[in-house]
Amino acid sequence: MTTSARVETAPTRVIHHSALREGVITGILGASVVAIWFLGIDVVAGHPLRTPEILGRALVSVLGPRGSEGAMTFVAAYTVFHYLAFAVVGVLATVIVHFAAREPSILAGVVILFVAVEIGFYGLVGLLSEPNVLGQVAWYQVLIGNLLAALVMGWYLWRMHPQLGRELDDALSGRVR
């Protein structure tokens, strides 16, 4: 006598991802990780919010003449800029992930582009590390913050797109689906 079990499975749910919404969330996660990282560094150094104030002063000086703004004005200006910049990067990364679902070979180019941008970014940080530009913000602190943000943003996109690992493997190995 044989028995068989009938397994009920839930219907497959199709998830539609909004690149804009998903990208903004990705950017907010990355920006928050960097903000928390530098807040921790600033608190340990005994100067909370010093990094966004320094960066805000640099940003405001590029955008126009400074008046008698207080420290919190610089912190607020930089915070808005920081989150907007990360939102743009998050949307761009999400759009690429969405395109990669249709054409995995895009991911191979993105990996190369990511490495090139990171190298350029650290070169820029090196230039800005001159005295009186970024103050005491060390390049390795920026490196660690940037890597933490990239990991968190990548983790989020990986969770939202579980097929991404297979697509990346296909892209790097040259396999075509």
Side-chain angles (χ1 to χ4, degrees), residues 82-163:
H82 177 77
Y83 275 87
L84 286 174
F86 265 90
V88 168
V89 169
V91 169
L92 180 61
T94 302
V95 167
I96 290 168
V97 166
H98 284 227
F99 277 128
R102 286 176 263 151
E103 184 59 50
S105 63
I106 289 173
L107 289 176
V110 169
V111 169
I112 294 167
L113 180 63
F114 175 76
V115 171
V117 167
E118 289 296 307
I119 291 169
F121 177 76
Y122 298 122
L124 176 64
V125 168
L127 288 173
L128 294 177
S129 292
E130 294 299 315
N132 300 326
V133 179
L134 289 183
Q136 301 298 315
V137 179
W139 68 268
Y140 60 85
Q141 293 170 334
V142 175
L143 170 73
I144 293 169
N146 197 43
L147 289 175
L148 289 171
L151 286 171
V152 168
M153 293 168 77
W155 169 82
Y156 176 74
L157 288 173
W158 200 275
R159 297 257 316 166
M160 295 302 293
H161 301 272
Q163 78 286 359

Side-chain angles (χ1 to χ4, degrees), residues 2-110:
T2 61
T3 61
S4 63
R6 182 172 174 204
V7 178
E8 293 286 329
T9 59
T12 304
R13 186 175 72 166
V14 176
I15 300 173
H16 295 283
H17 299 278
S18 162
L20 182 60
R21 179 178 51 84
E22 191 175 312
V24 169
I25 291 169
T26 301
I28 288 171
L29 288 171
S32 296
V33 166
V34 171
I36 291 167
W37 166 252
F38 278 106
L39 177 62
I41 289 171
D42 290 349
V43 167
V44 167
H47 304 286
L49 302 177
R50 184 179 125 284
T51 300
E53 180 185 351
I54 290 169
L55 296 173
R57 285 183 189 279
L59 178 66
V60 170
S61 72
V62 168
L63 296 177
R66 289 196 318 232
S68 59
E69 295 92 355
M72 289 313 290
T73 301
F74 297 120
V75 170
Y78 182 73
T79 300
V80 168
F81 172 79
H82 177 77
Y83 275 87
L84 286 174
F86 265 90
V88 168
V89 169
V91 169
L92 180 61
T94 302
V95 167
I96 290 168
V97 166
H98 284 227
F99 277 128
R102 286 176 263 151
E103 184 59 50
S105 63
I106 289 173
L107 289 176
V110 169

